[in-house]
Each structure stands twice: as structure tokens, then as C-alpha cells.
Amino acid sequence: MKPQELSFEDFFSREFPFIDEPEDKTMDKKLIINVATTGAFMTRKANPNQPFTPEEIAKEVIESYEAGASIWHVHSRDEKGIATSDPEIIKKTADIVFKECPDIITSISAWSALGKQGADLMRPIVDPLTVFGKEYSQMAVVIPVSQVAGPLTYLSTEETLTSIVTYLYSKGVVPEYQGFNFVAIENIKKWLIEPGVIKPPYVINAIMGTHAGVFYESHTTPYPWGLMYLMTMLENMPEGTVKGATIGGHNWLPMITAAIILGVDLVRIGMEDTIWMYPHKPDRIESSVDVVKKVVNITKELGREIATPNEARKILGLAK
């Protein structure tokens, strides 16, 4: 067949079918930012910028809130800089925060002491905090899988997990499940959802990466296998889940960006989970505020909006 000779004018004057591709709604929702300004295990030896005192932590939280964070993942330190679960110290820090951020959501890590299991693990912290006021413990981290690290042994069984969740609901506290691996997600389904212990929305974070070298079984490297693990974790979460991503270690930034693109509802970021800003550089993070600002900018460049505290409450199923 002889090729047809056409001029550009003839070619472009023809009518071609317009491809009306539908919009992809994966990212068509607001992102909740949870700031973890200081962790239970991260030290100033790892990052000298780690805040320890109530005033230092509160300053980081307030500035992160102003930058776009609507949740504060609460950890406290004593006068020696050692992690503490003293409710009075938590309250002292929170009172400073609440003066500037009255609607911020608190997510506490309510591990009272080594060796305790089930609801007994949380009562010494949650009981007094709820007496202080509901704002001091609106959410609480729950680990639905057994963890062992040195002298610390945490046993997650159907009995202990059910007792924790039932106790938290009795106190008006919403559980925030930490999905360290696939077993954790299956335990939530098998022990809590199927028996009807909990109702949606379920707040589940995919926890990945190196966080001070403890507990974390799913890693972000080598890349891209860590990304594939994250995608599978998110896909495996039950219907009705508020999906979160908590990424630690050197590779947190590209993985968090990927999670935002994958449409997660919530990200936890800050100096608890990593000491580096970039995966390929030794630069230490100077402030959790810098992290929040960077993630907010990336999110907006991708066309997503940041949830306000009241919008986050609605998404998470929290009371105003």
C-alpha cells in the first residue's frame, strides 16, 4: 500500500476522538498530619536537636501545629532526659500546648511500666489523664502484635488486646493501632473486628523503618522492596480503616511521599521516627517543624489538602 501523503495542515484539520479519561480519586481527600516531636527511645546522642523538657517539646508541638499538624503523638522525658510515663509531666507539657493549640488531638503512648500486660499496662497513665480532662488522652497507641526488645516483653493475645481496647473505649479514648507487620493486621481482624469488639472507623498505621532499633520488623530498604511491602500492608487493611503510615529511618521522606500518593489518610512524622532529613545524606533533622513544613509542601504540590483538627476528628471518628 502506497503511503498517503498528507501535509501537517491536512493532518491536524482531521477530527480525532478525544480521550475522556476519568479522574483518579485516590488523592481526593485531606491528609491528617501527626507530629511525633520526641520519642521514647531517641536520644540526643543520635540527634542533639531532640527536645526533652516540657518547654522544648511544647515549642516543637505548637510550631508544628501552626505548620499544619492536627495530632500530637505524646511522649515525655524527666529531668534527666529519660522517657517517663508520669501523667503530671505529660500534663505539664500538654498545658503549655493547649494554651496555643486548644483543638489539637492528643495521641498518647500509654505504656506505664515494663512487665505489665493488657489494660493494666495503660491504667496508670490513662486513668489520671482522663481525670485531668478528655483532651489529654483523645487517642492511645495500641500494639496488636507481640514485641520483644531486650528486657521489654509485650505480649499481644486475644485476651490482652481485647482488654486494652475495651478499657480505652470505656474511658472515651480511641485506639490507634500500630501495624508493624501483616500479623498485626490479621490480629485486628480476627480478634477485634470479626467478634464485633470494635466498629469502624479503625485507625491503623503501617509502621516501617528503623526507629531507634527497637520493635520494627518491616523495613524500607532495599528500595523499592520496602515500597512494595508498604503497598501490600495498606492493601491488606480492612474496609473502614483510616489508613496511616509511620515511616522511620533514612528512607522516610520518599516512602512518606509514596504513601501520600497512595492515598493514605494519615502520616506520622517527626524526630521520634528518624534523625535524618534525606535518604542519601547525613543531614540531621534540626526540628520536627521543618519536617512538617516539608511534608505539607509536598502534599499541596501533589494537589492534596491538609486536614484541620476538626476535619481530622471527623475522619477519625472522634468527638469534637
Side-chain angles (χ1 to χ4, degrees):
M1 180 182 295
K2 184 178 179 181
Q4 186 177 5
E5 293 184 4
L6 287 174
S7 67
F8 279 111
E9 184 178 353
D10 291 336
F11 181 80
F12 282 103
S13 66
R14 295 188 175 193
E15 291 187 9
F16 292 93
F18 174 69
I19 301 175
D20 189 13
E21 183 180 2
E23 296 174 351
D24 185 340
K25 298 294 187 180
T26 302
M27 293 196 292
D28 189 21
K29 51 185 174 180
K30 295 189 176 184
L31 181 71
I32 302 169
I33 293 181
N34 181 358
V35 65
T37 58
T38 188
F41 303 104
M42 200 69 78
T43 67
R44 282 181 173 164
K45 183 177 180 181
N47 188 347
N49 301 313
Q50 187 83 195
F52 277 0
T53 68
E55 292 77 16
E56 290 170 344
I57 295 172
K59 180 177 183 294
E60 287 275 305
V61 174
I62 292 167
E63 292 181 0
S64 296
Y65 166 89
E66 291 170 347
S70 55
I71 304 178
W72 164 32
H73 180 65
V74 181
H75 280 286
S76 293
R77 303 294 180 106
D78 63 18
E79 65 279 0
K80 296 180 181 179
I82 298 172
T84 178
S85 54
D86 186 339
E88 292 291 344
I89 295 179
I90 295 173
K91 183 180 185 298
K92 182 178 180 180
T93 309
D95 285 342
I96 301 172
V97 172
F98 291 148
K99 287 181 180 179
E100 302 295 330
C101 320
D103 59 346
I104 197 168
I105 301 166
T106 51
S107 171
I108 63 171
S109 183
W111 286 33
S112 61
L114 304 183
K116 292 187 177 181
Q117 305 294 335
D120 289 339
L121 182 68
M122 297 194 166
R123 284 194 179 95
I125 300 178
V126 175
D127 279 356
L129 287 180
T130 51
V131 170
F132 295 151
K134 290 185 177 180
E135 68 272 23
Y136 291 93
S137 54
Q138 297 166 64
M139 302 177 71
V141 168
V142 176
I143 301 177
V145 65
S146 298
Q147 302 285 353
V148 179
L152 175 57
T153 300
Y154 172 77
L155 298 176
S156 181
T157 65
E158 183 172 5
E159 180 182 0
T160 60
L161 188 59
T162 301
S163 71
I164 286 173
V165 170
T166 303
Y167 164 71
L168 290 177
Y169 277 127
S170 73
K171 292 292 182 177
V173 180
V174 173
E176 183 184 3
Y177 303 98
Q178 306 298 273
F180 293 104
N181 52 31
F182 297 115
V183 175
I185 296 174
E186 290 306 310
N187 287 345
I188 295 170
K189 294 177 181 177
K190 181 172 59 177
W191 294 342
L192 300 177
I193 296 176
E194 291 175 9
V197 176
I198 61 175
K199 305 292 182 184
Y202 324 113
V203 184
I204 306 177
N205 292 314
I207 310 286
M208 299 183 64
T210 304
H211 303 60
V214 294
F215 296 153
Y216 300 81
E217 301 174 15
S218 50
H219 298 285
T220 61
T221 55
Y223 196 83
W225 305 116
L227 176 58
M228 294 174 67
Y229 195 104
L230 173 64
M231 293 171 67
T232 310
M233 286 272 283
L234 295 174
E235 187 64 26
N236 200 42
M237 290 181 183
E239 184 177 353
T241 297
V242 176
K243 297 181 179 182
T246 300
I247 312 296
H250 244 125
N251 213 31
W252 78 271
L253 183 56
M255 291 285 287
I256 281 290
T257 303
I260 295 168
I261 293 170
L262 290 169
V264 298
D265 304 283
L266 172 120
V267 293
R268 194 181 88 188
I269 53 178
M271 285 197 287
E272 172 179 3
D273 302 316
T274 183
I275 62 176
W276 304 282
M277 183 63 82
Y278 303 106
H280 56 298
K281 297 180 180 180
D283 304 3
R284 293 293 197 268
I285 293 172
E286 294 185 6
S287 167
S288 290
V289 184
D290 294 339
V291 173
V292 172
K293 288 179 178 178
K294 187 174 292 293
V295 172
V296 166
N297 288 337
I298 290 171
T299 302
K300 290 182 176 179
E301 286 294 330
L302 289 169
R304 292 188 65 176
E305 297 180 27
I306 304 300
T308 66
N310 282 337
E311 290 168 338
R313 280 185 171 83
K314 185 175 181 181
I315 295 168
L316 296 165
L318 294 170
K320 286 187 177 181

